[in-house]
Amino acid sequence: MRPVYTRLLVALTATAALSGCGYFDSRSAHKAQYEMVGMTSYDLQACAGIPASTKKLNDTTEIWQYDGSKALPTMPSDSGFIPVQSAISIYQSAFGGGGTACRMLVRMDHDRVSEVHYTGNDDEYIGTDGICSIITRGCARQRESTMRRVNGGLFGPVSGFHPPRTPAQSATATYSDQSGKYVPKFTNDDTQPVIQPVK
């Protein structure tokens, strides 16, 4: 076999293996964390749906919560020549993966998405947060006009293994009147409170 065909076969095999294990779901979920920042609340609801719950923090800031789940595929029992179920159990206990649920938390600042976080048992076999792509799939497949574009080829700037950096937030989105008057002061003196008034 020619070297070019061998490389192509290896690349196609690796792509198929990664797609079956969650790598591309992870990239899709992390790409959404870039692209959804700046969206209006109307556009977010149009593509991701109505949030499961909301919490108003102040006059300009809210937290919206979306939940999604995915059933694990059933695996054959270890009655054959290859112990599939045992191998998967060993892999999960060593490396994680096999998640089933994601909670997406969206900070809304002045009626626009200012940051997106994922939590829960949301990792697939390769990558992180892959289950969360089921929540953002509607926005990824049919983009809204207020979403920003993220380019950079197949492997950048989005990673399948870690989320993007959280963008800087406005003061009204991160501080209440009380928290603006108090700050943490970390010292070696265990008798002093950590949270102290601003001086």
Side-chain angles (χ1 to χ4, degrees), residues 31-93:
K31 186 175 182 186
Q33 287 178 296
Y34 274 115
E35 292 185 328
M36 292 170 75
V37 170
M39 288 181 76
T40 64
S41 65
Y42 293 162
D43 278 353
L44 176 62
Q45 292 174 82
C47 66
I50 307 302
S53 66
T54 62
K55 168 70 174 167
K56 184 171 182 162
L57 301 180
N58 59 37
D59 291 340
T60 63
T61 311
E62 294 182 2
I63 301 293
W64 290 14
Q65 175 182 308
Y66 289 84
D67 294 308
S69 62
K70 180 178 175 180
L72 280 175
T74 57
M75 295 292 170
S77 61
D78 289 341
S79 60
F81 177 69
I82 301 172
V84 175
Q85 188 61 46
S86 295
I88 289 173
S89 296
I90 291 168
Y91 180 89
Q92 283 180 333
S93 52

Side-chain angles (χ1 to χ4, degrees), residues 9 15-16 18 29 31-32 37 48 74 82 109 122 125 127 129 139 145 159 165 174 176 180 184 196:
L9 181 62
T15 301
L18 288 174
K31 186 175 182 186
V37 170
T74 57
I82 301 172
D109 185 6
D122 62 358
Y125 291 110
D129 305 319
C139 299
S145 63
S159 170
R165 191 173 62 96
T174 55
S176 69
Q196 297 184 18

Side-chain angles (χ1 to χ4, degrees), residues 27 150-159:
R27 280 184 50 82
V150 175
N151 295 321
L154 184 61
F155 295 109
V158 180
S159 170

Side-chain angles (χ1 to χ4, degrees), residues 68-70 99-102 121-124 129-135:
S69 62
K70 180 178 175 180
T100 58
C102 174
N121 180 17
D122 62 358
D123 294 342
E124 293 187 48
D129 305 319
I131 300 296
C132 300
S133 67
I134 62 175
I135 299 173

